[in-house]
Amino acid sequence: MSDTNKIKWTALAMMGFSTVWGFGNVVNGFIYFNGIQVIISWIFMFGLYFLPYALMVGELGSAFKNEGGGVSSWIHGTIGPKIAYYAGWTYFACHITYIASKGSGGLKALSWMVFRNAETYDSFPTLYVQLATFVVFLIGCFIAGKGLNPLKKLLTLAGTCVFIMSILYIIMLFAAPLINPGADYVHTEYSLKNLIPNFNVAYFTSLSILVFAVGGCEKISPYVNKVENPSKGFPKGIIAMAIMVVVCAMLGTVAMGRMFDPAVINSSDEAFNSYAANGGYWAFQKLGEYYHLGDTFLIIYALCNTISQFSILILSIDAPLRMLLDNKHTRQFIPSKLLKKNKYDVYSNGILMVTILSGAIILVQTLVPGAAAVLQQLTKLNSVCMPLRYLWVFVAYLALRKAFDRIPAEYRFVKNQKVAIFFGGWCFAVTAVCCLLGMYSDDPFTFALNVITPVVLTALGILLPKIAQREKKAENAR
């Protein structure tokens, strides 16, 4: 690649930033960590976890620049095909809970766009909401089964709009007092006492929310060797991205601190669930009030979110399934029935499996009292399941460093082997511990769902290779 086609480190930083960060991360951090107390937690999470994680991803992407940058391909290149299958399965399985949440999120956004309040959606019986969510999910599976992804461009547009509005929210809120000094702002005292987190059970069992928020930077790994002077340009881009994320997290938290009082959020379980489900919409609704624009910002945000949520639902049914079943190195561990394609070149039985697994999560939540509680529960479930895929990034990194002399890389996170092994092990441990702690809940149903879901998905991932092996034995015996 000529130098004129190389990516500048500043462009890489922007690519990574838009991939990793979103307004929902600010909202969840503020709500789950008692307002501005999340600031210190963000600083530690970025410095001790996110930055080394991103730099390790850079080294893996550099070492396997011709493999497309997928985690399963990294595992295949460092350990072998069987473990690569488990990495691919984990990536797919994590999206089962994610898919289950997209229908609910889309209906919530649609409700805000139409009714412009939280009460209407939250007042619907959970049974009806979840049945509607299930119907939306089935429609998504039908569209995915036809091999159609008509919402790809809309998803890109909606995602870009949500990203831009997240940045504008911070800028416009800080400017609001100049436009409307008499508006209702919350006075927040930034004393050390108010900033130090309460290190209680709720704090440690919510850390998976922050891990989930900063994950996903492995998506930019294919661009490592396309950066100008990768050994210097890539870390500069990653560090710049980390600084941008830190600044947005800090300023976003401060901005929300001027709108919402943590004492009100934590006044009851109902209030907490409502803020967890509606906080982002209330933020844009208040912003519109500050600028005397009514619900303009709210409607734009809700519209973009509606399109984004429903589009992601369809793409998440199709894309992770293809990543698992299209991998030529791991197909030997997958039963032949799952590899069956229909006339639209879609894995029809694979989509049926997604329908059963994600559909079961949607339907079992008809037992949850309250639509807002469902969304809060899904946020926690995703924070437990989704980061499990990050574990394979660190497994791949540790295996790469053990093969230091065998597998070259143009970019290295650190040259010292002991330091590299320490950071790989540290990030693995942080991810695993946060996911395990995140399973705990005072509510027995939520606790059971957080434990049973990953256990069932893991068991199914172990079972499939055994079924495939039995198939081969039966064929050989003929």
Side-chain angles (χ1 to χ4, degrees), residues 294-344:
D295 291 333
T296 302
F297 294 136
L298 165 66
I299 293 170
I300 296 172
Y301 177 72
L303 173 62
C304 293
N305 225 11
T306 301
I307 297 171
S308 180
Q309 294 284 327
F310 289 145
S311 301
I312 289 173
L313 169 64
I314 295 170
L315 294 180
S316 295
I317 292 170
D318 181 65
L321 188 63
R322 288 186 182 277
M323 289 183 69
L324 173 67
L325 302 182
D326 277 347
N327 192 329
K328 63 181 181 180
H329 302 302
T330 60
R331 288 168 69 93
Q332 59 183 303
F333 305 107
I334 297 170
S336 59
K337 288 186 178 180
L338 283 180
L339 299 175
K340 178 186 174 184
K341 287 185 176 182
N342 62 19
K343 62 181 180 179
Y344 302 106

Side-chain angles (χ1 to χ4, degrees), residues 9 164 185 200 401:
W9 66 266
I164 292 171
Y185 302 104
N200 51 24
R401 294 303 297 215

Side-chain angles (χ1 to χ4, degrees), residues 307-475:
I307 297 171
S308 180
Q309 294 284 327
F310 289 145
S311 301
I312 289 173
L313 169 64
I314 295 170
L315 294 180
S316 295
I317 292 170
D318 181 65
L321 188 63
R322 288 186 182 277
M323 289 183 69
L324 173 67
L325 302 182
D326 277 347
N327 192 329
K328 63 181 181 180
H329 302 302
T330 60
R331 288 168 69 93
Q332 59 183 303
F333 305 107
I334 297 170
S336 59
K337 288 186 178 180
L338 283 180
L339 299 175
K340 178 186 174 184
K341 287 185 176 182
N342 62 19
K343 62 181 180 179
Y344 302 106
D345 197 39
V346 171
Y347 293 104
S348 52
N349 286 338
I351 288 183
L352 178 61
M353 180 172 66
V354 173
T355 304
I356 294 170
L357 295 173
S358 293
I361 294 174
I362 293 171
L363 293 177
V364 79
Q365 287 184 307
T366 57
L367 304 175
V368 178
V374 169
L375 287 168
Q376 187 269 341
Q377 190 179 79
L378 285 170
T379 299
K380 281 290 288 179
L381 181 60
N382 275 321
S383 77
V384 170
C385 293
M386 289 297 279
L388 292 174
R389 61 190 171 136
Y390 310 153
L391 292 173
W392 290 108
V393 174
F394 308 125
V395 169
Y397 184 73
L398 290 169
L400 175 65
R401 294 303 297 215
K402 288 186 177 181
F404 188 87
D405 297 327
R406 181 170 60 88
I407 305 176
E410 187 175 352
Y411 162 73
R412 294 289 186 183
F413 165 35
V414 289
K415 292 183 179 180
N416 187 286
Q417 280 287 80
K418 290 183 179 179
V419 173
I421 296 297
F422 168 78
F423 275 110
W426 163 258
C427 287
F428 182 94
V430 168
T431 306
V433 169
C434 287
C435 287
L436 288 172
L437 290 175
M439 291 179 179
Y440 175 77
S441 174
D442 292 331
D443 177 49
F445 182 84
T446 302
F447 181 48
L449 188 66
N450 289 347
V451 173
I452 292 172
T453 302
V455 168
V456 168
L457 292 174
T458 301
L460 184 58
I462 295 172
L463 183 63
L464 291 183
K466 296 185 181 298
I467 296 174
Q469 186 179 30
R470 184 175 296 179
E471 279 185 351
K472 289 176 183 176
K473 284 183 178 179
E475 287 179 2

Side-chain angles (χ1 to χ4, degrees), residues 9-141:
W9 66 266
T10 50
L12 179 77
M14 282 304 302
M15 290 166 59
F17 179 62
S18 59
T19 298
V20 170
W21 200 245
F23 185 63
N25 296 330
V26 177
V27 175
N28 287 336
F30 187 87
I31 290 170
Y32 280 89
F33 290 86
N34 200 31
I36 62 171
Q37 288 184 359
V38 75
I39 289 176
I40 290 178
S41 300
W42 276 132
I43 292 172
F44 281 112
M45 185 60 68
F46 289 129
L48 299 179
Y49 182 82
F50 175 59
L51 189 56
Y53 165 31
L55 293 173
M56 280 185 263
V57 163
E59 184 172 340
L60 284 161
S62 178
F64 299 101
K65 58 185 177 183
N66 298 320
E67 294 292 334
V71 177
S72 60
S73 65
W74 299 341
I75 294 291
H76 179 262
T78 54
I79 301 177
K82 183 68 175 287
I83 305 302
Y85 156 77
Y86 288 121
W89 171 261
T90 303
Y91 187 87
F92 163 76
C94 288
H95 279 80
I96 294 298
T97 60
Y98 189 65
I99 291 166
S101 69
K102 292 298 101 178
S104 296
L107 290 176
K108 162 63 77 172
L110 184 62
S111 174
W112 266 101
M113 186 176 69
V114 175
F115 302 110
R116 306 180 195 177
N117 64 66
E119 291 74 25
T120 302
Y121 181 86
D122 293 348
S123 65
F124 291 139
T126 309
L127 175 63
Y128 298 156
V129 171
Q130 290 307 102
L131 288 177
T133 301
F134 186 66
V135 171
V136 168
F137 167 64
L138 290 179
I139 293 172
C141 289

Side-chain angles (χ1 to χ4, degrees), residues 233-257:
F234 186 82
K236 282 174 68 177
I238 290 297
I239 292 170
M241 175 186 69
I243 292 172
M244 291 163 65
V245 170
V246 169
V247 169
C248 280
M250 301 300 104
L251 293 180
T253 300
V254 172
M256 293 207 73

Side-chain angles (χ1 to χ4, degrees), residues 90-330:
T90 303
Y91 187 87
F92 163 76
C94 288
H95 279 80
I96 294 298
T97 60
Y98 189 65
I99 291 166
S101 69
K102 292 298 101 178
S104 296
L107 290 176
K108 162 63 77 172
L110 184 62
S111 174
W112 266 101
M113 186 176 69
V114 175
F115 302 110
R116 306 180 195 177
N117 64 66
E119 291 74 25
T120 302
Y121 181 86
D122 293 348
S123 65
F124 291 139
T126 309
L127 175 63
Y128 298 156
V129 171
Q130 290 307 102
L131 288 177
T133 301
F134 186 66
V135 171
V136 168
F137 167 64
L138 290 179
I139 293 172
C141 289
F142 175 79
I143 295 173
K146 295 295 182 182
L148 302 173
N149 287 318
L151 301 180
K152 260 183 183 176
K153 291 184 179 178
L154 276 178
L155 172 60
T156 302
L157 178 61
T160 302
C161 290
V162 171
F163 172 72
I164 292 171
M165 290 192 71
S166 302
I167 305 301
L168 285 177
Y169 168 78
I170 297 171
I171 297 171
M172 295 186 75
L173 187 53
F174 279 106
L178 300 176
I179 306 295
N180 189 3
D184 181 25
Y185 302 104
V186 176
H187 174 70
T188 305
E189 183 183 343
Y190 289 91
S191 63
L192 186 61
K193 179 182 177 182
N194 284 350
L195 286 172
I196 295 177
N198 296 318
F199 295 107
N200 51 24
V201 173
Y203 176 87
F204 288 106
T205 56
S206 297
L207 282 175
S208 58
I209 294 283
L210 301 187
V211 173
F212 180 33
V214 299
C217 63
E218 62 270 12
K219 293 176 184 176
I220 65 170
S221 61
Y223 303 101
V224 178
N225 293 287
K226 298 177 183 178
V227 180
E228 291 180 353
N229 192 1
S231 61
K232 292 183 179 179
F234 186 82
K236 282 174 68 177
I238 290 297
I239 292 170
M241 175 186 69
I243 292 172
M244 291 163 65
V245 170
V246 169
V247 169
C248 280
M250 301 300 104
L251 293 180
T253 300
V254 172
M256 293 207 73
R258 305 196 71 175
M259 277 190 172
F260 304 114
D261 185 352
V264 176
I265 295 173
N266 296 311
S267 60
S268 67
D269 289 341
E270 291 76 16
F272 183 88
N273 289 338
S274 191
Y275 271 92
N278 303 292
Y281 301 100
W282 277 330
F284 280 98
Q285 189 173 48
K286 278 197 171 189
L287 188 64
E289 292 171 1
Y290 292 159
Y291 283 85
H292 305 291
L293 293 173
D295 291 333
T296 302
F297 294 136
L298 165 66
I299 293 170
I300 296 172
Y301 177 72
L303 173 62
C304 293
N305 225 11
T306 301
I307 297 171
S308 180
Q309 294 284 327
F310 289 145
S311 301
I312 289 173
L313 169 64
I314 295 170
L315 294 180
S316 295
I317 292 170
D318 181 65
L321 188 63
R322 288 186 182 277
M323 289 183 69
L324 173 67
L325 302 182
D326 277 347
N327 192 329
K328 63 181 181 180
H329 302 302
T330 60

